[in-house]
Amino acid sequence: MTIKQYLKLAWALTPFILVVLGLLSIVIAAFLVATALGWLILGLALIIIGYILSPKQDKSE
């Protein structure tokens, strides 16, 4: 792949990367408050990322 293709791919993935970094910052803040809260928020963040990455099915009838 050329540099231009890598830049195009990075630009296409920018929203997902920002969502992941935002969730990561929330998880780190939760761990700083309390360990149990951190694990809870980490689990929820992983569920959200899994939902985003899961294949979507057509809902057309």
Side-chain angles (χ1 to χ4, degrees):
M1 290 179 76
T2 64
I3 293 176
K4 189 172 185 178
Q5 290 173 328
Y6 280 121
L7 290 175
K8 187 181 266 189
L9 178 63
W11 187 252
L13 292 176
T14 300
F16 177 72
I17 292 169
L18 291 176
V19 167
V20 170
L21 289 176
L23 288 172
L24 182 64
S25 68
I26 293 170
V27 168
I28 290 172
F31 268 111
L32 290 175
V33 171
T35 305
L37 180 64
W39 285 111
L40 175 68
I41 301 296
L42 177 63
L44 291 174
L46 288 173
I47 289 170
I48 291 170
I49 291 174
Y51 177 75
I52 292 171
L53 292 176
S54 67
K56 306 294 186 268
Q57 296 180 359
D58 269 345
K59 304 260 174 160
S60 61
E61 294 181 13

